[in-house]
Amino acid sequence: MTLIDAPAPTAFVPPQPKRLVDHFELGLDAPICLTWELTYACNLSCVHCLSSSGRRDPRELTTEECKAIIDELERMQVFYVNIGGGEPTVRGDFWELVDYATAHHVGVKFSTNGVKITPEVAARLAANDYVDVQISLDGATAEVNDWIRGPRSYEMALQAMANLQAAGMKNFKLSVVCTRQNIPQLDEFKRIADQYGAQLRLTRLRPSGRAVDVWDELHPLPEQQRELYDWLVAHDGEVLTGDSFFHLSAFGQQLEGLNLCGAGRVVCLIDPVGDVYACPFAIHDEFLAGNVRAPGGFQAVWRTSELFQRLRAPQSGGACSSCQFFDTCKGGCMAAKFFTGLPLDGPDPECVQGYGAAALEERKGDKPKPSGDHSHRTAPPSLGGAPSGMGPVRVTLSRRREDVAAPPVSACNESPIAGFAPARLSGRVPRGAAEPDAGDRS
């Protein structure tokens, strides 16, 4: 008789708790932060505007409709809204809506070119702990900034920051969209932010809106991607980035932030006419989930949209799944792939391992165009030539001391992980709290 050895007992391995990011991948019952473009009206025509803003849409949500959405967000316990546009402060009811939101436990972060940030407004903002401000600037010098954002926009942004600083507002944001032209100015951006008591926030240029047509000329070169990555690593903890640059994690070290595409999972966009898109960078019918004016409002769109359900289902890595950096890069940005004509299950066009460049050479067909263009009815300038010879169309919405042009707006951008539980418990997010990247609308 032969004895058969019984298998040695194995040690019990308790199930590992899910990371916060794992919960995010499956979606939440309410977005952490909501990007809300209140208007397409803008006093500039920035060449890289993600929402192709300029002219107001006559179908804009009314003041009462906006308040009803705020009531809904309060019931859903949405942390806060990131208000953009267009230039949101040119809406006549903007301050009324900000006050209504904060009074109803919905924190507000809004992005502005600074056109309305007078000393009086700055004092009002500094007195509200549940309002945060982002000032958009895309060049550390007037030459670079005004090349993209328009004449005098540099001067106006710095004046707005000076007004906020004089009013005693702490940790407002200096928001920069990283381009080929301003990557060499990263140290100078940090110096400007420190000078005004602001926190520097860097965000990625996506090929969306008007940026579809200029992305090839504005997006950072491969060697600049490495320069940006090394700079972010060297300034770890000092600069906000959100999930803007999770594709750079394929260089090796994972950067701070969500490091995940949060579209339809933890973030989304409401546009000025109430359309809800999965991603603030993907204003296209492919990513349209519904409209808040439909029965059930925003909550019904967020919880029952077929598009959002698909985005929350387990995703395959596609062509990127065999890459050793997939767990950190996650295949990159959905919007960047879509608007450069690449498959969504393929590599990011700016893949630092070089796979994106190869995919761009092999792509077939035309690149998709954003749905809707609200640009001012003037032909955009050429991007060729020196920066001083290029600039957005100058448009004046109101007459001030002198005609001033100014740029569009941003949205949300930092990691939601810091302070996640306390924020959810309180139902409010104080100024400076972290959030996922919903982009710079400029």
Side-chain angles (χ1 to χ4, degrees):
M1 179 174 178
T2 303
L3 296 176
I4 301 176
D5 292 335
T10 57
F12 172 72
V13 179
Q16 296 299 308
K18 282 188 175 182
R19 301 169 299 166
L20 196 55
V21 71
D22 296 328
H23 289 286
F24 289 168
E25 282 190 310
L26 300 177
L28 303 176
D29 63 356
I32 293 174
C33 90
L34 173 74
T35 299
W36 190 353
E37 295 184 343
L38 284 180
T39 184
Y40 284 125
C42 189
N43 49 328
L44 272 197
S45 296
C46 295
V47 296
H48 63 349
C49 179
L50 295 174
S51 54
S52 301
S53 290
R55 293 174 289 114
R56 175 182 175 272
D57 192 308
R59 301 169 298 160
E60 255 178 28
L61 295 168
T62 66
T63 302
E64 292 311 309
E65 285 177 315
C66 289
K67 288 182 177 180
I69 292 172
I70 292 169
D71 292 340
E72 197 172 3
L73 299 180
E74 180 184 21
R75 291 192 297 270
M76 294 176 70
Q77 292 187 297
V78 171
F79 290 174
Y80 56 90
V81 292
N82 281 273
I83 296 178
E87 170 54 50
T89 63
V90 302
R91 257 190 77 136
D93 59 359
F94 176 72
W95 303 111
E96 178 183 353
L97 293 175
V98 168
D99 290 344
Y100 189 85
T102 57
H104 286 76
H105 311 101
V106 178
V108 172
K109 177 188 288 289
F110 72 92
S111 298
T112 175
N113 51 57
V115 65
K116 297 285 188 178
I117 308 300
T118 63
E120 295 75 21
V121 167
R124 177 178 180 176
L125 293 170
N128 191 334
D129 286 337
Y130 293 95
V131 176
D132 199 7
V133 185
Q134 295 184 159
I135 305 296
S136 296
L137 195 71
D138 289 333
T141 59
E143 180 185 31
V144 174
N145 179 80
D146 295 0
W147 184 59
I148 291 175
R149 303 184 78 77
R152 306 290 300 279
S153 57
Y154 180 84
E155 175 187 337
M156 183 168 55
L158 263 57
Q159 184 60 60
M161 289 192 289
N163 291 342
L164 290 170
Q165 182 183 43
M169 191 166 192
K170 306 294 185 183
N171 292 321
F172 60 90
K173 310 300 184 292
L174 170 57
S175 184
V176 178
V177 178
C178 292
T179 65
R180 187 174 305 177
Q181 292 72 27
N182 66 28
I183 289 292
Q185 300 182 320
L186 293 174
D187 287 335
E188 185 64 12
F189 279 123
K190 184 67 167 59
R191 186 198 66 76
I192 293 173
D194 292 344
Q195 175 184 344
Y196 290 100
Q199 187 166 21
L200 181 60
R201 167 187 175 266
L202 301 181
T203 190
R204 181 182 179 185
L205 173 72
R206 268 81 165 194
S208 308
R210 284 197 293 270
V212 166
D213 296 323
V214 298
W215 185 80
D216 287 341
E217 299 170 70
L218 292 186
H219 79 93
L221 298 168
E223 59 269 24
Q224 291 181 314
Q225 299 278 5
R226 181 74 207 205
E227 180 182 354
L228 173 60
Y229 172 79
D230 290 341
W231 194 89
L232 290 173
V233 171
H235 292 80
D236 183 41
E238 301 175 15
V239 178
L240 301 175
T241 61
D243 58 349
S244 280
F245 304 110
F246 61 93
H247 70 295
L248 297 183
S249 296
F251 277 127
Q253 178 179 328
Q254 184 166 304
L255 298 172
E256 282 195 345
L258 182 57
N259 288 300
L260 167 76
C261 173
R265 298 178 173 118
V266 296
V267 298
C268 68
L269 166 77
I270 298 178
D271 82 352
V273 300
D275 283 337
V276 181
Y277 293 89
C279 172
F281 306 106
I283 302 179
H284 188 280
D285 290 345
E286 287 284 332
F287 304 100
L288 178 61
N291 189 286
V292 299
R293 284 169 165 155
F298 172 73
Q299 179 171 301
V301 177
W302 178 260
R303 295 183 178 174
T304 66
S305 160
E306 188 272 336
L307 170 64
F308 287 174
Q309 297 305 313
R310 280 193 282 116
L311 290 172
R312 295 165 191 166
Q315 305 290 314
S316 68
C320 293
S321 59
S322 60
C323 177
Q324 63 177 314
F325 299 106
F326 176 71
D327 285 342
T328 51
C329 167
K330 300 293 186 184
C333 173
M334 176 180 72
K337 288 186 269 193
F338 180 78
F339 283 118
T340 52
L342 298 183
L344 298 186
D345 62 353
D348 189 288
E350 293 184 296
C351 168
V352 299
Q353 297 298 311
Y355 299 120
L360 287 173
E361 290 184 3
E362 297 172 1
R363 66 186 168 189
K364 298 178 176 64
D366 296 329
K367 294 183 293 186
K369 291 291 186 182
S371 298
D373 189 339
H374 302 270
S375 302
H376 296 296
R377 298 184 188 281
T378 309
S382 168
L383 276 178
S388 59
M390 186 200 85
V393 180
R394 186 169 180 177
V395 176
T396 304
L397 289 181
S398 59
R399 189 164 294 278
R400 302 171 63 198
R401 183 170 34 120
E402 54 185 334
D403 289 348
V404 177
V409 181
S410 313
C412 72
N413 182 38
E414 291 107 53
S415 168
I417 297 174
F420 177 82
R424 176 63 83 191
L425 290 173
S426 68
R428 302 187 75 170
V429 175
R431 178 186 305 146
E435 82 252 32
D437 177 17
D440 191 311
R441 311 310 303 163
S442 351

